[in-house]
Coordinates of all heavy atoms in Angstrom, one line a residue:
F1 N -18.0 -116.9 73.7 CA -19.4 -117.0 73.5 C -19.8 -118.5 73.6 O -20.8 -118.7 74.3 CB -19.8 -116.4 72.1 CG -21.1 -116.8 71.6 CD1 -22.2 -116.2 72.2 CD2 -21.3 -117.6 70.5 CE1 -23.5 -116.5 71.7 CE2 -22.5 -117.8 70.0 CZ -23.7 -117.3 70.7
L2 N -19.1 -119.4 72.9 CA -19.4 -120.8 73.0 C -19.3 -121.3 74.4 O -20.2 -122.1 74.9 CB -18.5 -121.6 72.1 CG -18.7 -121.2 70.6 CD1 -17.6 -122.1 69.8 CD2 -20.0 -121.5 70.1
N3 N -18.3 -120.9 75.2 CA -18.1 -121.3 76.6 C -19.3 -120.8 77.4 O -19.7 -121.5 78.3 CB -16.8 -120.9 77.1 CG -15.7 -121.7 76.6 OD1 -15.9 -122.9 76.4 ND2 -14.5 -121.2 76.5
T4 N -19.8 -119.6 77.2 CA -20.9 -119.0 77.9 C -22.1 -119.9 77.7 O -22.9 -120.2 78.6 CB -21.1 -117.5 77.4 OG1 -20.0 -116.8 77.7 CG2 -22.3 -116.9 78.1
L5 N -22.4 -120.2 76.4 CA -23.5 -121.0 76.1 C -23.4 -122.4 76.8 O -24.4 -122.9 77.4 CB -23.7 -121.3 74.6 CG -24.0 -120.0 73.8 CD1 -24.1 -120.4 72.3 CD2 -25.3 -119.3 74.2
L6 N -22.3 -123.0 76.7 CA -22.1 -124.3 77.4 C -22.3 -124.2 78.9 O -22.9 -125.1 79.5 CB -20.7 -124.9 77.1 CG -20.6 -125.6 75.8 CD1 -19.2 -126.0 75.5 CD2 -21.5 -126.8 75.6
H7 N -21.8 -123.2 79.5 CA -21.9 -123.0 81.0 C -23.3 -122.9 81.3 O -23.8 -123.6 82.3 CB -21.1 -121.8 81.4 CG -21.3 -121.5 82.8 ND1 -20.8 -122.2 83.9 CD2 -21.9 -120.4 83.4 CE1 -21.1 -121.7 85.1 NE2 -21.9 -120.5 84.7
C8 N -24.0 -122.1 80.6 CA -25.5 -121.9 81.0 C -26.3 -123.1 80.6 O -27.3 -123.4 81.3 CB -26.0 -120.6 80.3 SG -25.2 -119.1 81.1
H9 N -26.0 -123.8 79.6 CA -26.6 -125.1 79.2 C -26.6 -126.1 80.4 O -27.5 -126.9 80.6 CB -26.0 -125.6 78.0 CG -26.5 -127.0 77.5 ND1 -27.7 -127.3 77.1 CD2 -25.8 -128.2 77.6 CE1 -27.9 -128.5 76.9 NE2 -26.7 -129.1 77.2
R10 N -25.5 -126.1 81.2 CA -25.3 -126.9 82.3 C -26.2 -126.5 83.5 O -26.5 -127.3 84.4 CB -23.8 -127.0 82.7 CG -23.0 -127.7 81.7 CD -21.5 -127.7 82.2 NE -20.7 -128.3 81.2 CZ -19.8 -127.6 80.6 NH1 -19.6 -126.3 80.9 NH2 -19.1 -128.1 79.7
L11 N -26.6 -125.2 83.5 CA -27.4 -124.6 84.6 C -28.9 -124.7 84.4 O -29.7 -124.7 85.3 CB -27.0 -123.2 84.8 CG -25.5 -123.0 85.2 CD1 -25.3 -121.4 85.2 CD2 -25.2 -123.6 86.6
T12 N -29.3 -124.8 83.1 CA -30.7 -124.7 82.8 C -31.0 -125.3 81.5 O -30.1 -125.8 80.8 CB -31.2 -123.2 82.7 OG1 -32.6 -123.1 82.6 CG2 -30.6 -122.5 81.6
D13 N -32.3 -125.4 81.1 CA -32.7 -125.9 79.8 C -32.5 -124.7 78.8 O -33.4 -123.9 78.7 CB -34.2 -126.3 79.9 CG -34.7 -126.7 78.5 OD1 -33.9 -126.8 77.6 OD2 -35.9 -126.9 78.5
L14 N -31.3 -124.6 78.3 CA -31.0 -123.4 77.4 C -31.5 -123.7 76.0 O -31.1 -124.7 75.4 CB -29.5 -123.2 77.4 CG -29.0 -122.0 76.6 CD1 -29.6 -120.7 77.1 CD2 -27.5 -121.9 76.5
R15 N -32.3 -122.8 75.5 CA -32.9 -123.0 74.2 C -32.5 -121.9 73.2 O -32.7 -120.7 73.5 CB -34.4 -123.0 74.3 CG -35.0 -124.1 75.2 CD -36.5 -124.0 75.4 NE -36.9 -125.0 76.3 CZ -38.1 -125.3 76.5 NH1 -39.1 -124.8 75.7 NH2 -38.5 -126.2 77.5
L16 N -31.8 -122.2 72.2 CA -31.2 -121.2 71.2 C -32.2 -121.1 70.0 O -32.5 -122.1 69.3 CB -29.9 -121.6 70.7 CG -28.8 -121.9 71.9 CD1 -27.5 -122.3 71.3 CD2 -28.7 -120.6 72.8
A17 N -32.7 -119.9 69.8 CA -33.7 -119.8 68.7 C -33.1 -118.8 67.6 O -32.3 -118.0 67.8 CB -34.9 -119.1 69.3
G18 N -33.6 -119.1 66.4 CA -33.3 -118.2 65.3 C -31.8 -118.1 65.0 O -31.3 -117.1 64.7
V19 N -31.1 -119.2 65.1 CA -29.6 -119.2 65.0 C -29.2 -118.9 63.6 O -29.6 -119.6 62.6 CB -29.0 -120.6 65.3 CG1 -27.5 -120.6 65.3 CG2 -29.4 -121.0 66.8
P20 N -28.5 -117.8 63.3 CA -28.1 -117.4 61.9 C -27.1 -118.4 61.4 O -26.4 -119.1 62.1 CB -27.5 -116.0 62.0 CG -27.3 -115.8 63.5 CD -28.1 -116.8 64.3
K21 N -27.0 -118.4 60.1 CA -26.1 -119.4 59.4 C -24.7 -119.3 59.9 O -24.0 -120.3 60.1 CB -26.2 -119.2 57.9 CG -27.4 -119.7 57.3 CD -27.5 -119.6 55.8 CE -28.8 -120.0 55.2 NZ -28.8 -120.0 53.8
A22 N -24.1 -118.1 60.1 CA -22.7 -118.0 60.5 C -22.5 -118.7 61.9 O -21.5 -119.3 62.1 CB -22.3 -116.6 60.5
V23 N -23.5 -118.4 62.8 CA -23.4 -119.0 64.1 C -23.6 -120.5 64.1 O -23.0 -121.3 64.7 CB -24.3 -118.3 65.1 CG1 -24.3 -118.9 66.5 CG2 -23.9 -116.8 65.3
A24 N -24.6 -120.9 63.3 CA -24.9 -122.3 63.2 C -23.7 -123.1 62.6 O -23.4 -124.2 63.1 CB -26.1 -122.6 62.2
R25 N -22.9 -122.5 61.7 CA -21.7 -123.1 61.2 C -20.7 -123.4 62.2 O -20.1 -124.4 62.3 CB -21.2 -122.2 60.0 CG -19.9 -122.8 59.4 CD -20.3 -124.0 58.5 NE -19.1 -124.5 57.9 CZ -18.7 -125.8 57.9 NH1 -19.5 -126.7 58.4 NH2 -17.6 -126.2 57.3
V26 N -20.5 -122.4 63.1 CA -19.6 -122.5 64.2 C -20.0 -123.6 65.2 O -19.2 -124.5 65.6 CB -19.4 -121.2 65.0 CG1 -18.5 -121.4 66.2 CG2 -18.7 -120.1 64.1
L27 N -21.3 -123.7 65.5 CA -21.8 -124.7 66.3 C -21.6 -126.1 65.6 O -21.4 -127.1 66.3 CB -23.3 -124.5 66.6 CG -23.6 -123.2 67.4 CD1 -25.2 -123.0 67.5 CD2 -23.0 -123.3 68.8
E28 N -21.8 -126.2 64.3 CA -21.6 -127.4 63.6 C -20.2 -127.9 63.6 O -19.8 -129.1 63.9 CB -22.1 -127.3 62.2 CG -23.6 -127.3 62.1 CD -24.0 -126.9 60.7 OE1 -23.3 -126.9 59.7 OE2 -25.3 -126.5 60.5
I29 N -19.3 -126.9 63.3 CA -17.8 -127.3 63.3 C -17.3 -127.8 64.7 O -16.5 -128.7 64.7 CB -17.0 -126.0 62.9 CG1 -17.3 -125.7 61.4 CG2 -15.5 -126.2 63.2 CD1 -16.7 -124.4 60.9
T30 N -17.8 -127.2 65.7 CA -17.4 -127.6 67.1 C -18.2 -128.8 67.6 O -17.9 -129.3 68.7 CB -17.6 -126.4 68.0 OG1 -18.9 -126.0 68.1 CG2 -16.7 -125.2 67.7
G31 N -19.3 -129.2 67.0 CA -20.1 -130.3 67.4 C -21.1 -129.9 68.4 O -21.9 -130.7 69.0
L32 N -21.2 -128.6 68.7 CA -22.1 -128.1 69.8 C -23.6 -128.2 69.4 O -24.5 -128.2 70.2 CB -21.8 -126.7 70.3 CG -20.4 -126.6 71.0 CD1 -20.1 -125.2 71.4 CD2 -20.5 -127.5 72.3
H33 N -23.8 -128.2 68.0 CA -25.1 -128.3 67.5 C -25.8 -129.6 68.1 O -27.0 -129.7 68.1 CB -25.2 -128.2 66.0 CG -24.6 -129.4 65.3 ND1 -23.3 -129.7 65.4 CD2 -25.2 -130.4 64.6 CE1 -23.1 -130.9 64.7 NE2 -24.2 -131.3 64.2
E34 N -25.0 -130.6 68.4 CA -25.6 -131.8 68.9 C -25.9 -131.8 70.4 O -26.7 -132.5 70.9 CB -24.7 -133.0 68.6 CG -24.6 -133.2 67.1 CD -23.7 -134.5 66.8 OE1 -23.4 -135.2 67.7 OE2 -23.4 -134.6 65.6
A35 N -25.1 -130.9 71.1 CA -25.4 -130.8 72.6 C -26.4 -129.8 73.0 O -27.0 -129.9 74.0 CB -24.0 -130.5 73.2
L36 N -26.5 -128.7 72.3 CA -27.4 -127.6 72.6 C -28.7 -127.8 71.9 O -28.8 -128.5 70.9 CB -26.7 -126.3 72.1 CG -25.4 -125.9 72.8 CD1 -24.8 -124.7 72.2 CD2 -25.5 -125.8 74.3
H37 N -29.8 -127.2 72.5 CA -31.1 -127.3 72.0 C -31.3 -126.0 71.0 O -31.4 -124.9 71.4 CB -32.2 -127.3 73.0 CG -32.0 -128.4 74.0 ND1 -31.8 -128.2 75.3 CD2 -31.9 -129.7 73.8 CE1 -31.6 -129.4 75.9 NE2 -31.7 -130.3 75.0

């Protein structure tokens, strides 16, 4: 899932909305919360 988001982030202005706490935590742990919108 994370790789899919990163791949598409490279292709377009990917905007993630309404991120639930469990998913936000994974994004924080991996540092992706700083790379993704």
Side-chain angles (χ1 to χ4, degrees):
F1 167 68
L2 297 177
N3 283 328
T4 299
L5 295 179
L6 278 175
H7 173 69
C8 291
H9 172 70
R10 291 182 187 112
L11 299 173
T12 190
D13 175 9
L14 184 63
R15 303 175 185 194
L16 305 179
V19 182
K21 288 182 182 185
V23 175
R25 181 73 179 132
V26 172
L27 294 174
E28 289 170 12
I29 289 169
T30 59
L32 293 178
H33 70 293
E34 294 182 13
L36 301 173
H37 301 123

